[in-house]
Amino acid sequence: MSTFENSGKNGAAQDITVVHVMRHGEVHNPDGVLYGRLDGYHLSELGRQMADRVAEHLASRDVTHVVASPLERAQETATPIAKAHGLDLSTDARLLEAENVFQGKTFGVGDGALRRPENWKHLVNPFKPSWGEPYVDQVVRMMGALDAAKDAARGHEAVLVSHQLPIWIVRSYVERRRLWHDPRKRQCTLASLTTFTYQGDRIMSVGYTEPALDLVPAHLRAGAKPVQGKGKAFGA
């Protein structure tokens, strides 16, 4: 957990709001497509088990607001959480997956994508990145979604369901890390929770938990070494 200096006076225990940002569960994607923002990609049976597991994990928490990206996999992941707390599920387009020019294609370890000349023009600037939505734009929209959820659940807890890259980017921004990175080193496993704790309007700490880790295939866990032919659609 990352903690930040408290510059306030007394009342540190007052007006505490917790916003959990969850990555969706496993998606049915037998062809290993980088599905990005494409419609029609739903949770697999294992993904539904992951969603149920996290709903059980959060059942005793003071959750008063549940929001998801418009994409099916995020909506399906958030539904059991909202149901467990008797809440309506809200949708926020700011939680969408990042745009990516390789959407709809296979692009991963061992598939030769980096050796194809037609792809080189999209790989010239990893700092922006040149193949998709700028990291700074992702920070702006994700911080907006976090702030809106914090306001809606003030004094309680909120759950936002989003996607790996935007979650990792906003966490990196809050923890003051560089935004460009090696995608294989993101700490954002399927169905994981990245938790932002606010005092008033200020983020005081960031935590990370994996309530469904035992359900996640080993090659898809945070820090796992890439396996040729598996996990092509990283960053989903």
Side-chain angles (χ1 to χ4, degrees):
M1 176 182 287
S2 300
T3 56
F4 306 98
E5 182 180 355
N6 179 9
S7 60
K9 297 182 180 179
N10 295 332
Q14 298 176 2
D15 197 15
I16 299 298
T17 306
V18 177
V19 179
H20 306 280
V21 187
M22 180 182 177
R23 184 184 173 194
H24 61 79
E26 185 191 59
V27 175
H28 179 66
N29 183 22
D31 296 326
V33 171
L34 183 65
Y35 33 77
R37 295 182 174 183
L38 294 174
D39 291 328
Y41 284 88
H42 298 268
L43 293 183
S44 65
E45 180 56 37
L46 180 59
R48 295 182 184 278
Q49 294 177 33
M50 293 176 183
D52 289 340
R53 172 70 62 80
V54 178
E56 293 172 5
H57 174 77
L58 294 171
S60 63
R61 304 297 293 256
D62 184 24
V63 175
T64 61
H65 188 58
V66 181
V67 192
S69 153
L71 295 172
E72 293 100 327
R73 58 192 186 271
Q75 294 278 316
E76 292 166 1
T77 298
T79 294
I81 299 171
K83 183 178 180 180
H85 293 275
L87 300 170
D88 292 331
L89 174 60
S90 299
T91 300
D92 190 334
R94 292 174 293 190
L95 297 172
L96 270 170
E97 174 63 293
E99 294 179 338
N100 193 311
V101 297
F102 298 112
Q103 175 177 290
K105 303 176 181 179
T106 57
F107 190 92
V109 176
D111 65 4
L114 295 178
R115 293 192 296 271
R116 298 172 194 159
E118 64 270 24
N119 291 334
W120 294 348
K121 63 183 178 182
H122 300 301
L123 303 173
V124 296
N125 185 357
F127 306 105
K128 186 177 179 180
S130 52
W131 54 82
E133 182 182 10
Y135 292 136
V136 172
D137 291 357
Q138 294 179 54
V139 168
V140 170
R141 63 179 173 86
M142 289 295 289
M143 287 300 297
L146 279 165
D147 285 344
K150 174 259 298 175
D151 290 340
R154 191 174 291 275
H156 304 279
E157 300 188 26
V159 179
L160 282 61
V161 180
S162 185
H163 308 267
Q164 186 190 60
L165 178 55
I167 297 172
W168 180 247
I169 289 300
V170 76
R171 177 181 172 185
S172 296
Y173 170 78
V174 171
E175 294 183 325
R176 302 180 180 89
R177 285 194 303 274
R178 68 189 185 195
L179 300 183
W180 63 274
H181 60 283
D182 182 340
R184 297 167 296 182
K185 296 182 179 180
R186 297 172 189 158
Q187 188 184 41
C188 191
T189 298
L190 290 165
S192 61
L193 295 171
T194 300
T195 300
F196 300 83
T197 299
Y198 289 80
Q199 181 187 329
D201 294 323
R202 182 180 179 188
I203 296 174
M204 303 304 295
S205 67
V206 180
Y208 177 79
T209 53
E210 297 175 334
L213 181 61
D214 62 302
L215 298 176
V216 179
H219 69 281
L220 295 178
R221 297 180 183 182
K225 293 183 178 180
V227 178
Q228 185 170 341
K230 294 185 177 182
K232 291 181 180 179
F234 62 75

